[in-house]
Amino acid sequence: MDYDRFIEEQIREIREQVGTDLAINALSGGVDSSVVTALGHRALRDRLLTYFVDNALMREGEPERVVKNFAKMGIPVQRIDAREEFLEALRGLTDPEEKRQAITDTFYAKVFRRLVKESGAKFLLQGTILTDIEETVAGIKRQHNILAQLGIDPEKVYGYQVLEPLKTLRKDGVREVARQLGLPPTITERIPFPGPALATRIVGEITEERLRTVRQATAIVEDALQGTGAFQYFAVLLQDRATGIREGKREFGQIIVIRCIESTDARLATVTELPWAILHGMARQILQIPGVNRVLYDLTPKPPATVEYI
Ligand code: XMP
């Protein structure tokens, strides 16, 4: 594929569609939304307003890091604090699809509708990729960013049009476009991180306390595995609890799963054969997190498992 031509075509199309109007987009810092931000910025300059929506589900230090990295590239990003809104929408929910739905609704119908209204934008640029569309249409999983393919007309429902310049690409193609656009390796080689963020790594209810636990475990796993070259790695907090002993007393504790996979485009995945020393090192650190008394390594390929837990 000729990626230079792809970039030129997408820039031209964004310009044509948006015309003299304003567009907005949400940047999560992942490769998909970063590429959309860079393409949109090239096409529209200051007629693209880029927001980082802090949904309370981000990893340690992520909001600050993303805003700073784009500032270095001359692309201004405004941070929107929507933490309370998302936590409120997720309160009491345990069903995976209901949690995804709550995140989608809060994002599009509340936060984005408000931002569109305030800014006067008519278009939303979004980093939907081919795999997102295929899996949603096949009924495997409702990706957070799929609307039109499910028969939802965003203009009618939310009051804005959605442009999806990456919808013909898979992850490897998006990374190639990112390299061609000159984005730094911290973005182009970044491991995938899903839009619903840490919500996909909490089985059961999402609370601030449970987010803190999975956030700490995530930092440990990412730090330990970043040198492995694995496709994706993360920590998951289960809903079940297990009996343990701490300081001579019985404890009914939390269970953390470590997942580390090899894949090319996340459609199929195998489990990484991690050395025992690395696994033990992570377990030792994760067991220091308050309330956690078990650490497991997930041995399941995709299929039958999906990569994420919700
Ligand atoms: P699954 O769990 O579907 O994950 O096997 C495949 C790849 O997609 C990522 N993923 C998502 N990315 N929004 C995203 O932007 C989502 O809703 C979502 N769900 C899963 C996952 O991290 C993996 O790389």
Side-chain angles (χ1 to χ4, degrees), residues 100 135 141 143-144 192 194-196 231-232 266 302 306-308:
R100 283 177 168 268
E135 293 206 335
K141 185 181 291 187
Q143 299 277 341
H144 72 287
F231 177 81
Q232 197 169 2
K302 175 181 180 177
T306 51
V307 174
E308 305 288 350

Side-chain angles (χ1 to χ4, degrees), residues 32 100 132 135 140-145 171 192-196 200-201 231-232 234 265-267 302 305-310:
D32 305 342
R100 283 177 168 268
D132 298 343
E135 293 206 335
I140 296 168
K141 185 181 291 187
R142 187 198 199 297
Q143 299 277 341
H144 72 287
N145 52 3
K171 202 58 131 195
F193 186 66
T200 60
R201 285 125 194 223
F231 177 81
Q232 197 169 2
F234 52 87
D265 57 15
R267 280 187 298 171
K302 175 181 180 177
T306 51
V307 174
E308 305 288 350
Y309 271 55
I310 77 157

Side-chain angles (χ1 to χ4, degrees), residues 199-226:
T200 60
R201 285 125 194 223
I202 294 181
V203 184
E205 192 181 359
I206 294 166
T207 62
E208 275 184 277
E209 190 190 354
R210 306 194 78 217
L211 276 163
R212 249 195 315 276
T213 303
V214 84
R215 191 175 281 126
Q216 282 176 275
T218 300
I220 294 165
V221 171
E222 289 192 347
D223 185 54
L225 300 185
Q226 64 184 350

Side-chain angles (χ1 to χ4, degrees), residues 105-251:
D105 289 347
T106 308
F107 189 79
Y108 290 100
K110 287 197 166 166
V111 178
F112 255 83
R113 184 178 273 164
R114 190 166 62 237
L115 290 173
V116 168
K117 228 188 212 154
E118 284 169 11
S119 64
K122 296 243 165 43
F123 295 86
L124 168 63
L125 257 61
Q126 179 161 272
T128 320
I129 65 170
L130 188 56
T131 321
D132 298 343
I133 297 173
E134 284 173 345
E135 293 206 335
T136 300
V137 172
I140 296 168
K141 185 181 291 187
R142 187 198 199 297
Q143 299 277 341
H144 72 287
N145 52 3
I146 300 296
L147 300 170
Q149 292 80 3
L150 289 176
I152 299 168
D153 177 351
E155 189 153 29
K156 257 202 206 126
V157 180
Y158 302 125
Y160 48 79
Q161 285 188 53
V162 177
L163 303 183
E164 295 171 320
L166 310 182
K167 69 178 176 209
T168 57
L169 301 180
R170 296 191 192 282
K171 202 58 131 195
D172 42 348
V174 181
R175 283 191 205 281
E176 202 44 55
V177 172
R179 290 182 201 111
Q180 299 281 337
L181 283 167
L183 296 178
T186 46
I187 294 172
T188 59
E189 312 312 315
R190 198 178 100 131
I191 59 166
F193 186 66
L198 296 177
T200 60
R201 285 125 194 223
I202 294 181
V203 184
E205 192 181 359
I206 294 166
T207 62
E208 275 184 277
E209 190 190 354
R210 306 194 78 217
L211 276 163
R212 249 195 315 276
T213 303
V214 84
R215 191 175 281 126
Q216 282 176 275
T218 300
I220 294 165
V221 171
E222 289 192 347
D223 185 54
L225 300 185
Q226 64 184 350
T228 58
F231 177 81
Q232 197 169 2
Y233 38 86
F234 52 87
V236 178
L237 174 60
L238 296 186
Q239 187 168 22
D240 283 343
R241 286 175 174 256
T243 300
I245 353 168
R246 199 181 294 269
E247 286 155 12
K249 283 211 189 85
R250 190 184 129 95
E251 178 190 63

